[in-house]
Amino acid sequence: LMFLGTPVEIQRPRGVPLTKKQFYEESKPFTCLDGSRTIPFDRVNDDYCDCKDGSDEPGTAACPNGSFHCTNAGYRPMFIPSSRINDGICDCCDTTDEYNSGAKCENTCKELGRKEREVLQKMAEITKEGFLLKQQLIEEAKKGQQEKQSKVTDMQENKKQLDEKVEALRTVKETAEQPEKEAKERHLKAWEEQKAAIRLEKDKAKMAETFLELDDNEDGFVSVSELQSHAELDPDADGTLTEIEAQGLMGGAEQVDTSTFESVWPKIKDKYHSEVSREEEPAPVETPPDEVKEPVVDNDSEPYPEDDISEEEDEDDEDEDDYHEDDDKVSAQPTIKTPEKTHEDEEAMPPYDADTQALIDAAQKARDDFEEAEKALREMDDQIRNIEKELSFDFGPDAEFTYLYSQCYELTTSEYIYRLCPFNRVSQKPKYGGSETNLGTWGSWSGPENNKYLLMKYEQGTGCWQGPNRSTTVKLTCGKETVVTSTSEPSRCEYLMEFTTPAVCQEPANIDPSPHDHVEL
């Protein structure tokens, strides 16, 4: 009961709460509250324990299991163990527990009541303001959800059109790539034939040059003895080319003329070392690494047009073959004027003709258009998935927790920086440098049945050494601000984080905030 002004004292035995007054009537015998026995009323509070439940001595310390009721007018009533009655320590703010001990107690109930009302008033104000903020959050969330749902619907419609565009551009690309492929294959084939012809001419020239080198006596024949002067042609690699081995290379003949030498040449050309190259081969030229990497020289020393170089650079990847490896080797050598380099440069693939280049350009444009549309489609798919993921979360009965999504909140302690990203993860990072530790990823709401939205559970964080995976429980309390207020580790690898937010503020009860005195609760 609550009254304004002076409290009214209702007569009843000392230590008896108002709610049990009806069991203590002076005009009747007293029955123990557990029903165990009935005694004359004058044995109530006679400092002797008659009832097993201690109910006959509510105002004395006679019964070990008894309890004394502090009325505490102006503050909150309370029960204390009867053993504390008259023990010289003031337990009740109204001093009634020390009625016969001589302890000097002061009645502090009104002061305690005043302070409690201030706290309650402040909490009521916070709750009221928090609840108003919550209403705004709900309105914004509903509006945001509608906008996102509408956006997803529009994007899904646009996606259908983009799907059709991608498929149409795929067809255009494939249609353009077919003639491009055929034209490039024709170009490559013609070039391969040209290279084959050039290689054949080179081979014939080399064969004729070799014949003249081997024909020491210039009689128009290459004999077995003349061939034996080239030990590198030894088929069994014992370091000596015997007469029989030489004769074998020459098809059993003692000597061969230029016509017959054509059958000998394929057997020896891979091993043959030119006498001229051995005698006249210039000393190796040391070239700085930079020159090896970029063999670009001034115009005076470059025997080839710059266009030839650009043609090599522009060659399409799919046309590369073994000859490119040769070209790379040549280009990486010191820039010395040699016949070999000239021959290699002559084999560089010529540029595409105008018609082929036009087909390549058209196909490339079709590829670019297709890739651009395909990229736009992927980005749209990602956006749709992200919005649908957000819409799938349980953001509370009225979506009041929506505003926490994609946000993060930090708390810095003396050692760590704790970071809470609602509906995502919780982490801990050393304040003065070091790697971040995952304290759990979003699991579920885990509050009590009457309001599951008071606790968040984050699970499967980084494993503890020889222990479980870290996890965090986030306790939500009403507040005007959205902030992490504290963190602790009640159990090993299990963290507790306290978090205030207006989203959990309940509608405040309509209580008269004016001061009042409690007679009884």
Side-chain angles (χ1 to χ4, degrees), residues 256-283:
V256 293
D257 58 12
T258 54
S259 176
T260 313
F261 187 70
E262 291 181 6
S263 62
V264 178
W265 174 239
K267 303 175 187 177
I268 69 172
K269 65 180 181 179
D270 292 333
K271 292 184 176 181
Y272 182 77
H273 292 168
S274 171
E275 295 173 4
V276 174
S277 63
R278 283 186 293 180
E279 293 172 3
E280 301 179 1
E281 185 176 19

Side-chain angles (χ1 to χ4, degrees), residues 250-457:
M250 295 175 63
E254 289 292 332
Q255 61 181 21
V256 293
D257 58 12
T258 54
S259 176
T260 313
F261 187 70
E262 291 181 6
S263 62
V264 178
W265 174 239
K267 303 175 187 177
I268 69 172
K269 65 180 181 179
D270 292 333
K271 292 184 176 181
Y272 182 77
H273 292 168
S274 171
E275 295 173 4
V276 174
S277 63
R278 283 186 293 180
E279 293 172 3
E280 301 179 1
E281 185 176 19
V285 178
E286 292 187 5
T287 306
D290 289 345
E291 289 187 30
V292 174
K293 292 178 182 177
E294 299 183 19
V296 179
V297 296
D298 59 76
N299 294 334
D300 295 335
S301 62
E302 179 57 72
Y304 318 110
E306 292 182 0
D307 291 345
D308 293 343
I309 297 173
S310 63
E311 289 164 9
E312 286 184 24
E313 293 173 349
D314 291 339
E315 288 168 11
D316 195 280
D317 291 341
E318 66 185 55
D319 296 327
E320 291 183 359
D321 208 336
D322 293 341
Y323 52 84
H324 279 169
E325 296 178 8
D326 296 337
D327 290 348
D328 291 342
K329 292 174 185 175
V330 172
S331 64
Q333 297 301 316
T335 53
I336 300 173
K337 295 182 181 180
T338 60
E340 287 75 18
K341 182 174 172 83
T342 302
H343 295 323
E344 292 295 337
D345 264 19
E346 286 173 357
E347 290 187 8
M349 186 175 76
Y352 294 113
D353 59 80
D355 290 342
T356 301
Q357 190 60 51
L359 291 172
I360 293 172
D361 293 343
Q364 188 57 50
K365 184 179 184 307
R367 279 190 288 271
D368 292 342
D369 292 344
F370 170 74
E371 288 169 5
E372 184 179 345
E374 197 174 40
K375 180 183 177 183
L377 181 60
R378 284 196 303 271
E379 290 175 351
M380 185 172 289
D381 277 335
D382 289 342
Q383 290 178 26
I384 291 173
R385 273 195 301 272
N386 289 338
I387 295 175
E388 288 180 337
K389 179 184 176 182
E390 181 177 348
L391 292 173
S392 70
F393 276 101
D394 178 2
F395 288 132
D398 297 306
E400 59 267 38
F401 297 97
T402 303
Y403 83 105
L404 298 176
Y405 188 75
S406 298
Q407 301 296 317
C408 292
Y409 305 89
E410 291 186 350
L411 174 67
T412 302
T413 65
S414 58
E415 294 184 69
Y416 297 102
I417 298 173
Y418 292 90
R419 186 177 176 86
L420 166 65
C421 301
F423 306 104
N424 187 0
R425 67 197 294 264
V426 180
S427 63
Q428 168 191 278
K429 187 175 182 181
K431 188 176 180 180
Y432 300 106
S435 59
E436 187 177 77
T437 302
N438 183 358
L439 302 185
T441 55
W442 170 249
S444 63
W445 293 105
S446 57
E449 286 186 13
N450 63 327
N451 189 356
K452 68 176 183 178
Y453 300 103
L454 293 178
L455 293 177
M456 286 177 161
K457 189 69 174 177

